[in-house]
């Protein structure tokens, strides 16, 4: 629930669609540290209307996995690291992606302050709809882990 959200959002944003189904598997190598109800590693797959499939992993047990990779008919895109504090590096089949290093939390706080103090309109709606979509997907991941079955999303 803590770090898997980055893979969920990355897949949704890269594919440009909402998933229609979920499958998932959980692995625990240290049941003392990762007691019942505490995630260690969850692998999950999300299927999209176009036929795209995202294969994702959320773990506290392995290092150096901070990576997004998209492969498609017209090329690829990759970010590694992808969710850390930076600098984030990327490349595509057309070459390297270069963006200046930005402290994301500073940008986020500045934008929130502008919304509150200056009446600016947010770039992404802050009405809770994105969070609700995320939580429905997370619930489906946990259902798929618990049941071992594909979970369909509405």
């Amino acid at each position: 629930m803590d770090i898997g959200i980055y893979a969920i959002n990355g897949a949704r944003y890269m594919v440009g669609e909402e998933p229609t189904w979920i499958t998932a598997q959980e692995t625990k190598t240290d049941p003392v540290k990762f007691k019942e109800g505490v995630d260690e590693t969850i692998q999950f797959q999300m299927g999209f209307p176009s036929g795209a499939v995202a294969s994702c992993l959320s773990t506290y047990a392995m290092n150096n996995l901070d990576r997004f990779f998209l492969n498609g008919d017209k090329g690829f895109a990759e970010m590694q690291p992808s969710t850390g504090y930076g600098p984030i590096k990327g490349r595509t089949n057309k070459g390297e992606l270069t963006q200046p290093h930005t402290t994301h939390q500073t940008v986020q706080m500045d934008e929130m302050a502008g919304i509150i103090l200056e009446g600016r309109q947010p770039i992404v709606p802050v009405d809770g709809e994105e969070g609700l979509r995320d939580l429905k997907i997370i619930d489906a991941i946990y259902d798929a882990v618990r049941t071992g079955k594909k979970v369909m999303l509405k």
Side-chain angles (χ1 to χ4, degrees), residues 12-13 15-21 47-49 130 133-134 137 153-154:
R12 288 174 56 225
Y13 296 152
V15 174
E17 299 174 342
E18 294 300 318
T20 56
W21 59 261
F48 295 88
E130 277 296 303
R133 280 193 275 278
D134 290 337
I137 293 168
L153 296 168
K154 297 175 177 108

Side-chain angles (χ1 to χ4, degrees), residues 22-89:
I22 303 285
T23 56
Q25 307 77 39
E26 181 177 29
T27 303
K28 286 198 184 208
T29 61
D30 187 344
V32 173
K33 186 186 296 181
F34 298 99
K35 297 180 181 353
E36 182 67 30
V38 179
D39 305 336
E40 178 182 340
T41 300
I42 295 183
Q43 292 178 256
F44 58 98
Q45 303 74 41
M46 298 188 293
F48 295 88
S50 64
V53 175
S55 180
C56 306
L57 176 83
S58 175
T59 185
Y60 289 107
M62 296 176 250
N63 294 319
N64 303 311
L65 294 176
D66 186 5
R67 175 180 184 228
F68 281 120
F69 187 77
L70 173 70
N71 191 27
D73 294 349
K74 297 177 182 172
F76 73 89
E78 176 181 31
M79 289 182 6
Q80 187 176 14
S82 61
T83 61
Y85 294 111
I88 292 173
K89 297 180 182 178

Side-chain angles (χ1 to χ4, degrees), residues 72-138:
D73 294 349
K74 297 177 182 172
F76 73 89
E78 176 181 31
M79 289 182 6
Q80 187 176 14
S82 61
T83 61
Y85 294 111
I88 292 173
K89 297 180 182 178
R91 66 187 181 103
T92 73
N93 52 293
K94 295 180 180 179
E96 296 294 316
L97 298 174
T98 56
Q99 294 292 318
H101 176 63
T102 304
T103 304
H104 301 98
Q105 287 78 7
T106 302
V107 174
Q108 182 180 15
M109 293 298 112
D110 287 347
E111 289 298 317
M112 291 174 103
I115 290 166
I116 294 167
L117 300 174
E118 301 167 15
R120 282 193 243 154
Q121 290 299 308
I123 297 168
V124 176
V126 288
D127 56 11
E129 291 296 321
E130 277 296 303
L132 180 59
R133 280 193 275 278
D134 290 337
L135 289 175
K136 286 180 180 179
I137 293 168
I138 289 171

